[in-house]
Amino acid sequence: MDLHRIDEFAKEMIFEAGKRIRDAFSYELKVETKSDANDLVTNIDRETELFFIEKINAFAPHHKIIGEEGMGEKVESLDGPVWIIDPIDGTMNFVKQHRHFMITIGFFVNGIGKLGYIFDVMREDLFYAIADEGAWYNDSPLRKLKPIDIKEAVIGINASWVTPNRRVNHEKIIDLVKTVRGTRSYGSAAMEIAFVVSGKLDAYLSMRLSPWDIGGGIIIAKEVGAVATNFQGEKFDLLSTDTFIIANPSIHPLILEQYIEEK
Amino acid sequence: MDLHRIDEFAKEMIFEAGKRIRDAFSYELKVETKSDANDLVTNIDRETELFFIEKINAFAPHHKIIGEEGMGEKVESLDGPVWIIDPIDGTMNFVKQHRHFMITIGFFVNGIGKLGYIFDVMREDLFYAIADEGAWYNDSPLRKLKPIDIKEAVIGINASWVTPNRRVNHEKIIDLVKTVRGTRSYGSAAMEIAFVVSGKLDAYLSMRLSPWDIGGGIIIAKEVGAVATNFQGEKFDLLSTDTFIIANPSIHPLILEQYIEEK
């Protein structure tokens, strides 16, 4: 399998999809549609996923596709080549902010990550990786993450996980928030993962994510030495929803052991 | 007083400062200084404030200047023309993320806001307002904010205010977080204020801010109908630190009454 050829194909497809989204967006904004902004995003989401499915089917008909919008055939195993796709991660940002939403795509073979992409559509910024070859932010190589002390860390976490919830002991999350240097929340898992792999954040955690939220990101993570697991410290379940943490390797074990207690 | 002439002067000064910061930044990144990143930001912060002070002194020697870095003379009243300046709001973002930091400036006459600026240095995006004439995002007029239901609101709030703290009843903040559609946190008060005045967020609140964090923003707020007050619903104290909330007018009273209980 020629990964470089697939990488070229994937990038071209992502850039074209990005342009289509930006165009659709500016057209819709111009005509000031009376329709609900939520309908707009749903339509663009679906159209973009269909666009990816058609492209991949034409490129390699035997590749399987798992997409957020579920427009493809149902995939029940990770055998063979599998694309995991989120056409727009951060739909609320798309609607309200017209920025901070990502296309994110992972390409796996027999469950092993091979190519990962997170594309900031409005900035036209691409974070990507080729397994065992490295990771890049546009044309610049991403460096291995340097060790950091938990007290100096800035972490991505949604405020709602700091409140009483069914999934984790929020008192421990409060400890975490009080221990680190600062917290951020951007409303797009893929954006927060892109920030961790590029050292802009030191960790990001969420109590419930889907494979398409993190599929591209975990492949980039591996190349820069970021550790991405579920809250048991195991591989994220790519056929279901799961808990998720990605972190600088120097603080990943500490966060899991000291600050996360699942209910 | 010719506000348009002062506005032209202010913009030119801000764009030049932005360019200087970007240049200093890319130079420092290039030489890979061994010095602490915190020293770097402190130096650039101070140099930029001095740059503003020199420019304003040359333009209008009798104007007073309140700056975050305290490089100017001590200002003890808001009488006459006063500039309130933050050369870099979001210093942690500056250091770690190389984005999401703002120059923000307010120009007041006898305590009345006349000109307000929030400049995203890396994006080169300017949010600004001229009192009684309107507000703009680069070349586009910012519209009056449309009413929104609290359940549909996305608000900027730091996770630490959701944890037990000395200033507000955090249980009520938890209620707020659970009521709204979503929360965000960007690590720059000026950025979050810029997002509120442009409808990208519907509210932003903080338990403790300084005049330079909000001086430019509250002038823009007024032009788009956003309401900016302290937690008593009164004017923010521009000569001290204070609590701060800026919100869409349709939810400002509700948040104050129902979700904020100061200790």
Side-chain angles (χ1 to χ4, degrees):
Chain A
M1 182 173 287
D2 183 350
L3 275 185
H4 288 107
R5 205 178 123 245
I6 302 174
D7 170 56
E8 260 176 51
F9 159 76
K11 277 184 196 143
E12 205 170 288
M13 169 173 84
I14 288 167
F15 293 146
E16 192 178 337
K19 187 175 182 323
R20 289 162 64 109
I21 294 173
R22 288 191 303 274
D23 288 350
F25 208 16
S26 73
Y27 176 76
E28 293 288 340
L29 287 176
K30 222 178 290 168
V31 300
E32 294 228 31
T33 171
K34 292 278 185 296
S35 71
D36 194 296
N38 294 315
D39 292 343
L40 167 63
V41 68
T42 308
N43 288 341
I44 295 183
D45 232 353
R46 286 194 184 154
E47 280 165 24
T48 307
E49 186 161 314
L50 274 177
F51 169 81
F52 286 133
I53 291 170
E54 283 165 16
K55 285 278 178 187
I56 293 167
N57 282 343
F59 177 75
H62 63 294
H63 287 191
K64 295 190 285 188
I65 302 166
I66 299 175
E68 193 198 0
E69 298 298 312
M71 310 296 282
E73 285 174 42
K74 181 120 182 77
V75 172
E76 287 173 345
S77 95
L78 295 175
D79 295 346
V82 180
W83 295 81
I84 301 185
I85 292 177
D86 194 346
I88 298 177
D89 183 72
T91 49
M92 195 66 190
N93 293 342
F94 179 98
V95 171
K96 280 191 85 86
Q97 305 193 338
H98 309 168
R99 67 178 71 177
H100 292 178
F101 58 91
M102 311 284 137
I103 292 171
T104 181
I105 295 183
F107 176 68
F108 294 79
V109 178
N110 298 322
I112 311 292
K114 297 293 184 186
L115 302 166
Y117 306 89
I118 300 173
F119 184 58
D120 183 323
V121 176
M122 299 310 285
R123 281 183 74 115
E124 303 184 49
D125 262 355
L126 182 66
F127 300 82
Y128 74 100
I130 303 174
D132 305 322
E133 294 192 17
W136 289 265
Y137 170 53
N138 298 322
D139 295 330
S140 309
L142 288 172
R143 301 174 195 178
K144 294 273 177 193
L145 300 178
K146 290 180 197 147
I148 187 167
D149 189 278
I150 187 79
K151 291 198 184 77
E152 294 303 316
V154 179
I155 64 170
I157 186 166
N158 192 283
S160 63
W161 303 123
V162 186
T163 71
N165 65 78
R166 287 176 306 147
R167 295 177 188 277
V168 289
N169 177 352
H170 77 289
E171 299 286 352
K172 294 217 160 194
I173 302 287
I174 289 176
D175 281 350
L176 176 62
V177 167
K178 289 191 182 291
T179 300
V180 295
R181 177 78 173 262
T183 62
R184 300 286 183 272
S185 180
Y186 299 109
S188 157
M191 178 171 169
E192 309 203 38
I193 294 168
F195 272 30
V196 174
V197 298
S198 56
K200 293 177 179 67
L201 290 175
D202 302 300
Y204 163 67
L205 47 156
S206 179
M207 311 304 144
R208 189 164 192 258
L209 289 177
S210 295
W212 41 83
D213 297 317
I214 58 101
I218 60 176
I219 298 166
I220 308 174
K222 204 174 169 197
E223 295 303 313
V224 299
V227 183
T229 66
N230 65 18
F231 286 174
Q232 272 84 46
E234 293 156 5
K235 275 175 77 169
F236 187 97
D237 180 355
L238 288 171
L239 291 171
S240 180
T241 60
D242 206 344
T243 53
F244 183 72
I245 172 170
I246 178 171
N248 185 299
S250 59
I251 59 172
H252 181 277
L254 181 71
I255 295 178
L256 274 195
E257 282 159 30
Q258 217 153 322
Y259 301 104
I260 293 182
E261 181 185 312
E262 285 191 84
K263 284 183 177 169
Chain B
M1 183 172 290
D2 183 349
L3 275 186
H4 288 106
R5 206 179 122 242
I6 302 175
D7 171 56
E8 261 176 51
F9 158 75
K11 277 184 196 141
E12 205 170 289
M13 170 173 81
I14 288 167
F15 293 145
E16 192 178 337
K19 187 174 180 323
R20 289 163 63 108
I21 293 173
R22 289 191 303 276
D23 288 350
F25 208 16
S26 72
Y27 175 76
E28 293 289 341
L29 287 176
K30 224 178 288 166
V31 299
E32 294 227 33
T33 168
K34 291 279 183 297
S35 72
D36 194 296
N38 293 314
D39 293 344
L40 167 65
V41 69
T42 308
N43 288 341
I44 296 183
D45 231 354
R46 286 195 184 152
E47 279 165 24
T48 307
E49 187 163 313
L50 273 178
F51 169 81
F52 286 133
I53 291 171
E54 283 165 15
K55 284 278 179 188
I56 292 167
N57 282 344
F59 177 76
H62 62 294
H63 287 192
K64 293 191 285 187
I65 302 166
I66 299 174
E68 194 199 359
E69 299 298 313
M71 311 297 283
E73 285 174 43
K74 181 118 183 81
V75 172
E76 285 174 344
S77 95
L78 295 175
D79 295 346
V82 179
W83 296 82
I84 301 184
I85 291 176
D86 194 346
I88 298 178
D89 183 73
T91 48
M92 195 67 191
N93 292 342
F94 179 98
V95 172
K96 281 191 83 87
Q97 305 193 337
H98 309 168
R99 65 178 72 178
H100 292 178
F101 58 90
M102 312 284 136
I103 291 171
T104 181
I105 295 183
F107 177 68
F108 295 78
V109 178
N110 298 321
I112 311 292
K114 297 294 182 186
L115 302 167
Y117 306 89
I118 300 173
F119 184 58
D120 184 322
V121 175
M122 298 311 285
R123 283 182 73 113
E124 301 184 50
D125 262 356
L126 182 67
F127 300 81
Y128 74 100
I130 303 173
D132 305 323
E133 294 191 18
W136 290 264
Y137 170 53
N138 297 324
D139 296 330
S140 309
L142 287 172
R143 300 175 195 176
K144 293 271 175 195
L145 300 178
K146 291 180 196 148
I148 186 164
D149 190 278
I150 187 80
K151 291 197 184 75
E152 295 302 317
V154 178
I155 64 169
I157 186 167
N158 192 284
S160 62
W161 305 123
V162 186
T163 70
N165 65 78
R166 287 176 306 148
R167 295 177 188 275
V168 290
N169 177 350
H170 76 288
E171 299 284 352
K172 295 218 160 191
I173 302 287
I174 289 176
D175 281 352
L176 176 62
V177 167
K178 289 190 181 292
T179 299
V180 296
R181 178 79 172 262
T183 62
R184 300 286 183 273
S185 181
Y186 300 110
S188 156
M191 178 170 170
E192 310 204 36
I193 294 169
F195 272 30
V196 174
V197 298
S198 56
K200 293 178 179 66
L201 289 175
D202 302 301
Y204 163 68
L205 47 156
S206 179
M207 310 305 142
R208 188 162 193 260
L209 288 177
S210 295
W212 41 84
D213 297 317
I214 60 101
I218 60 176
I219 298 166
I220 309 174
K222 203 173 168 196
E223 296 303 311
V224 300
V227 183
T229 67
N230 64 18
F231 286 174
Q232 271 85 46
E234 293 156 5
K235 274 176 76 170
F236 186 98
D237 180 355
L238 288 171
L239 291 172
S240 180
T241 60
D242 206 345
T243 54
F244 183 72
I245 171 170
I246 177 170
N248 185 300
S250 60
I251 59 172
H252 181 276
L254 182 70
I255 295 177
L256 273 196
E257 283 159 28
Q258 218 154 321
Y259 300 104
I260 293 181
E261 182 185 312
E262 283 189 86
K263 285 182 179 171

